[in-house]
Amino acid sequence: MSTRTYQIRTYGCQMNVHDSERLAGMLEDAGYVRAAEGAVPDVVVFNTCAVRENADNRLYGTLGHMRPAKEQNPGMQIAVGGCLAQKDRETIVKRAPWVDVVFGTHNLGSLPVLLERARHNQEAQVEILESLEVFPSTLPARRESTYSGWVSVSVGCNNTCTFCIVPSLRGKEKDRRPGEILAEVRALVAEGVLEVTLLGQNVNAYGVEFGDRYAFSKLLRACGEIEGLERVRFTSPHPRDFTDDVIAAMAETPNVCPQLHMPLQSGSDRVLKAMRRSYRSERFLNILGKVREAMPHAAITTDIIVGFPGETEEDFEQTLEVVRQARFSSAFTFQYSKRPGTPAADMPDQVPKEVVQERYDRLVALQNEISWEENKKLVGQTVELLVAEGEGRKDNETHRLTGRARDGRLVHFTPTGAVDGEIRPGDIVRTTVTRAAPHHLVADTDVLSHRRTTAGDRWEEGKRPKTAGVSLGLPSFGAPKPQQSEQGCAC
């Protein structure tokens, strides 16, 4: 029997990207290999998102396009997982009977067995669990990046925001043990990874399950003690749970980056109350003030929803005013769309589409102006960049490379002189900013220094880290016990 190939298509948030790396790790442990670019895979896995209003229509449209390929290749299998699978369950195989496997957010580890069972029984397998049985991070992972890794600290969310469907699909917050998190970070660093991003639906509420309100700041400080770990980021915190000890840990831990992504959602206290966001604009701005007092050059980004049901022009003007005061380096702005199954979807006074669009355009224009002004302040400054892969869409045309500064800003730079042709994704360079734009910086001057890294070596060899799942004992901080696990690179 020839080796079966797979392809994973990921939609939605960073947690889905994290989960897809786990799915790839399990499939490869089960003997599958990643399909070559342009080849027809034996297994196609859709890791879905249910956040947007028309997510299901897009999925079923895509599945419809897959039907001819399935008919031409009867041995092909199609699997659908993620949030939309958790929500729609048996509906998927009813609307697309050529789907072989449906699995939810709580049972990622079941995928290889479900694929085998579907082949053996020659009928679709649907398995949706109501609660988490195995933490996704205990599963093996095939990492997409040689230099940067996602590390989940928790899954689920205890908040009840009226626009969000995540709690009903991901469940209540479940926290990983600190030792497990630190063991996974060490395993990534041993593979050459330089940067980790700690993930959670509400990352700074970490520790609520085992009763330690300072657990997240302790975790940041513990990451600071890991030799070889150069950058630590986290996303996304909630203003309600953002405490002074986290700010202190950020400021005092050298490898924690001066970057904060904290969702605002609205600058109107009335709308925040309707959203069931348990803070108000003054509290939000006070947190930003404390962060900037501790880290004056921190880059702060946010999420904002325009056109939430009942939003008036006065409410929207209050959002614009908070944006003016906050001076975000950038913002992810969204036009409100109904999430089926959320309280907001049934609220009265839904804002007309044309009004939402006009407000959205004004917000984007204001934020672009602020982003540009803030970026101009960095012209002439020296920045340390972790060279990235695939983030500069015009790099081939401009003969530039692209990297991320420690504060998360995107910088396009020119690899001149002796380093031309020597710099790889995963390497570290220092250069000087020469020009600013709203969404990026440009460094068209000589590279000041170039440091080759193990991550760059792995990228050059075409390898990607593959980490085994880790599982330790009771919650604790400090050095975890040595793990007997095989660590290697997946090609």
Side-chain angles (χ1 to χ4, degrees), residues 25 83 147 159 176 185 207 219 223 233 240 244 248 280 284 292 313 318 330 345 358 362 425 431 433 454 463 485:
C83 288
Y147 53 85
N159 294 318
R176 292 179 74 190
V185 173
L219 185 62
C223 286
R233 307 185 192 277
R240 182 195 67 186
D244 291 348
R280 298 298 176 257
F284 186 93
R292 288 194 168 117
E313 178 61 23
Q318 290 170 5
S330 67
E358 189 270 341
R362 284 157 58 197
T431 187
V433 176
T454 302
K463 296 180 177 179
S485 59

Side-chain angles (χ1 to χ4, degrees), residues 475-490:
S476 63
F477 280 91
K481 296 177 182 178
Q483 296 298 293
Q484 299 299 318
S485 59
E486 294 183 7
Q487 301 295 341
C489 285

Side-chain angles (χ1 to χ4, degrees), residues 362-379:
R362 284 157 58 197
L363 173 61
V364 169
L366 173 62
Q367 182 55 54
N368 283 346
E369 179 183 334
I370 293 171
S371 296
W372 199 3
E373 290 172 357
E374 292 300 308
N375 282 351
K376 286 176 183 177
K377 295 176 183 178
L378 300 175
V379 172

Side-chain angles (χ1 to χ4, degrees), residues 135 137-138 176-185 470-473 480:
F135 206 101
S137 295
T138 63
R176 292 179 74 190
R177 296 173 176 87
E180 291 182 0
I181 297 167
L182 296 172
E184 183 178 347
V185 173
V470 290
S471 182
L472 301 176

